[in-house]
Coordinates of all heavy atoms in Angstrom, one line a residue:
A88 N 90.4 76.2 1.2 CA 90.9 75.8 2.5 C 89.8 75.0 3.3 O 88.6 75.5 3.3 CB 91.2 77.1 3.3
Q129 N 85.1 85.7 6.0 CA 84.2 85.5 4.8 C 83.3 84.3 5.0 O 83.7 83.3 5.6 CB 85.1 85.4 3.6 CG 85.7 84.1 3.3 CD 86.4 84.0 1.9 OE1 87.2 84.9 1.6 NE2 86.0 83.1 1.1
P130 N 82.1 84.3 4.4 CA 81.2 83.2 4.5 C 81.7 81.9 4.0 O 82.5 81.9 3.0 CB 80.0 83.6 3.8 CG 80.1 85.1 3.7 CD 81.6 85.4 3.6
E131 N 81.4 80.8 4.6 CA 81.7 79.5 4.1 C 81.1 79.2 2.7 O 80.0 79.6 2.4 CB 81.3 78.4 5.1 CG 81.6 77.0 4.6 CD 80.9 75.9 5.4 OE1 80.0 76.3 6.2 OE2 81.2 74.7 5.3
G132 N 81.9 78.6 1.8 CA 81.4 78.2 0.5 C 81.4 79.2 -0.5 O 81.1 78.9 -1.7
V133 N 81.7 80.5 -0.2 CA 81.7 81.6 -1.1 C 83.1 81.7 -1.6 O 84.1 81.8 -0.9 CB 81.2 82.9 -0.5 CG1 81.4 84.0 -1.4 CG2 79.8 82.7 0.0
T134 N 83.3 81.9 -2.9 CA 84.6 82.2 -3.5 C 84.8 83.7 -3.5 O 84.0 84.4 -4.2 CB 84.8 81.6 -4.9 OG1 84.7 80.2 -4.8 CG2 86.1 82.0 -5.5
N135 N 85.8 84.2 -2.8 CA 85.9 85.6 -2.6 C 87.3 86.0 -3.2 O 88.3 85.5 -2.8 CB 85.9 86.0 -1.1 CG 85.9 87.4 -0.9 OD1 85.7 88.3 -1.7 ND2 86.4 87.8 0.3
L143 N 89.8 83.1 -2.6 CA 89.7 82.1 -1.5 C 88.3 81.5 -1.4 O 87.3 82.2 -1.5 CB 90.0 82.8 -0.2 CG 89.8 82.0 1.1 CD1 90.7 80.8 1.2 CD2 89.9 82.9 2.3
Q144 N 88.2 80.2 -1.3 CA 87.0 79.5 -0.9 C 87.3 78.7 0.4 O 88.3 78.0 0.4 CB 86.5 78.5 -2.0 CG 85.2 77.8 -1.5 CD 84.8 76.7 -2.5 OE1 85.5 75.9 -2.9 NE2 83.5 76.8 -3.0
K145 N 86.5 78.9 1.4 CA 86.7 78.3 2.7 C 85.6 77.4 3.0 O 84.4 77.8 2.9 CB 86.9 79.4 3.7 CG 87.2 79.0 5.1 CD 87.4 80.2 6.1 CE 86.1 81.0 6.1 NZ 86.2 82.1 7.1
L146 N 85.9 76.2 3.4 CA 84.8 75.2 3.7 C 85.0 74.6 5.1 O 86.1 74.2 5.4 CB 84.9 74.1 2.7 CG 84.6 74.5 1.2 CD1 84.9 73.4 0.3 CD2 83.1 75.0 1.1
H147 N 84.0 74.6 5.9 CA 84.0 74.0 7.3 C 83.7 72.6 7.2 O 82.7 72.1 7.7 CB 83.1 74.8 8.2 CG 83.3 76.2 8.3 ND1 82.4 77.1 8.8 CD2 84.5 77.0 8.0 CE1 83.0 78.3 8.8 NE2 84.2 78.3 8.3

Side-chain angles (χ1 to χ4, degrees):
Q129 79 170 55
E131 179 191 11
V133 174
T134 298
N135 184 22
L143 170 68
Q144 182 185 52
K145 184 176 60 175
L146 298 169
H147 299 165

